[in-house]
Amino acid sequence: MIKNVFEYGDQAVLIDFGDEIKKEINQNVIFVFKKLKQIISENNIAGIENITPSYNKLAIQFDLSKTDTTNIFKLIDQVKNEKVEINFNPNKIEIPINYDLDFGIDLERLSKITKLETSEIIESHLRTNFYVYMLGFMPGFPYMGDLDPKLYSKRLETPRVEIAEGSVIIVEQFCAIYPYKSPGGWNIIGKTPLKLFNQSQKNPSLINPGDEIIFKNISKAEFQKIWKKNYENQN
């Protein structure tokens, strides 16, 4: 399960699960992530500032004034020989999306690249059960795989200065959603009216690692109704 553990600077340790981006490997990462969080919580272990999972790595950041690398390695030893229990009943989330060309501004360009009609691109996207590998780049930003190989595409040569929040984007084998406005070079195929990250909530991220995502096509009118509720009626 764990391939290697090594120091990552003077206040972090990196757990290495391999180099491949595979669902099976990522499930190991998430399992260890949850086990470590459980141990830390149940034993009130001080000094752990953050535990961050990625596709195939897990970083533990700590406060050097409260703990040290030796203690972190001992903590990791507690889960090294744990039998991996994969969650076969993941949290399944349906994300509404509108593919109107006002939102899916790269659909026509992708149609030329993939040699598929825009309707085929949309149908393929809707058929895919996406697995959430990790959150990154910004709070609540989900990296989801695995996109239909027919839709694989490269990043834009010149990234856009701003991509609107809620934009649903694809590149290579991944799909993601922007929780906030941000620069970016991924291909935009639609938009969701849901708010992905709300820091006032106990669990601020709507989507989390290990979740399964399916998209549901909605009309422009439905989109506007949900968008108004989530973004315009906050006060």
Side-chain angles (χ1 to χ4, degrees):
M1 178 173 63
I2 294 176
K3 300 292 184 183
N4 199 6
V5 180
F6 51 89
E7 295 181 32
Y8 197 59
D10 60 352
Q11 296 189 75
V13 168
L14 193 68
I15 306 175
D16 180 16
F17 294 79
D19 296 323
E20 294 179 282
I21 299 177
K22 294 172 62 177
K23 182 177 179 179
E24 293 77 13
I25 291 176
N26 186 255
Q27 287 175 329
N28 290 338
V29 175
I30 294 171
F31 174 78
V32 172
F33 167 73
K34 290 180 177 179
K35 277 291 181 181
L36 288 173
K37 296 277 282 188
Q38 180 184 345
I39 293 169
I40 292 165
S41 175
E42 290 177 351
N43 296 278
N44 296 314
I45 298 173
I48 309 297
E49 294 191 328
N50 203 11
I51 304 178
T52 308
S54 70
Y55 300 120
N56 47 34
K57 305 288 187 291
L58 190 63
I60 304 175
Q61 296 170 281
F62 58 90
D63 184 342
L64 200 54
S65 68
K66 297 179 180 178
T67 189
D68 56 28
T69 305
T70 300
N71 287 328
I72 302 300
F73 274 76
K74 288 180 180 177
L75 173 64
I76 296 168
D77 282 341
Q78 295 184 54
V79 299
K80 262 189 174 181
N81 298 317
E82 283 265 7
K83 181 181 178 181
V84 178
E85 298 171 5
I86 301 302
N87 179 15
F88 289 104
N89 294 296
N91 187 29
K92 297 182 179 181
I93 303 173
E94 184 178 79
I95 301 293
I97 181 174
N98 182 269
Y99 296 97
D100 189 278
L101 293 180
D102 289 341
F103 297 147
I105 58 177
D106 288 316
L107 278 173
E108 292 183 333
R109 185 176 57 79
L110 286 172
S111 178
K112 295 177 182 177
I113 293 171
T114 62
K115 305 285 192 293
L116 298 171
E117 297 292 331
T118 57
S119 60
E120 293 178 285
I121 295 173
I122 292 169
E123 288 169 10
S124 176
H125 189 251
L126 288 170
R127 282 198 307 267
T128 303
N129 286 304
F130 290 97
Y131 173 80
V132 182
Y133 281 88
M134 59 179 257
L135 301 182
F137 178 54
M138 66 174 71
F141 184 99
Y143 285 85
M144 302 178 286
D146 298 286
L147 193 68
D148 187 332
K150 293 186 296 185
L151 305 188
Y152 283 13
S153 54
K154 297 180 180 179
R155 287 174 171 80
L156 302 179
E157 291 185 8
T158 304
R160 293 184 172 93
V161 175
E162 183 177 282
I163 294 177
E165 64 266 66
S167 294
V168 178
I169 52 180
I170 61 173
V171 73
E172 297 167 351
Q173 71 264 47
F174 297 108
C175 176
I177 308 170
Y178 272 93
Y180 300 103
K181 292 179 182 178
S182 172
W186 289 36
N187 304 282
I188 306 171
I189 63 169
K191 191 172 183 178
T192 180
L194 296 186
K195 185 180 279 288
L196 266 67
F197 190 84
N198 188 340
Q199 60 186 10
S200 67
Q201 300 291 328
K202 182 179 179 181
N203 298 310
S205 291
L206 174 65
I207 299 172
N208 292 283
D211 289 349
E212 287 189 1
I213 307 299
I214 188 76
F215 287 89
K216 177 186 177 183
N217 196 2
I218 61 173
S219 68
K220 195 78 170 285
E222 289 176 291
F223 176 94
Q224 297 295 354
K225 183 178 180 180
I226 301 171
W227 180 271
K228 186 175 182 180
K229 178 182 177 182
N230 288 326
Y231 285 93
E232 298 176 15
N233 294 339
Q234 296 300 302
N235 297 320

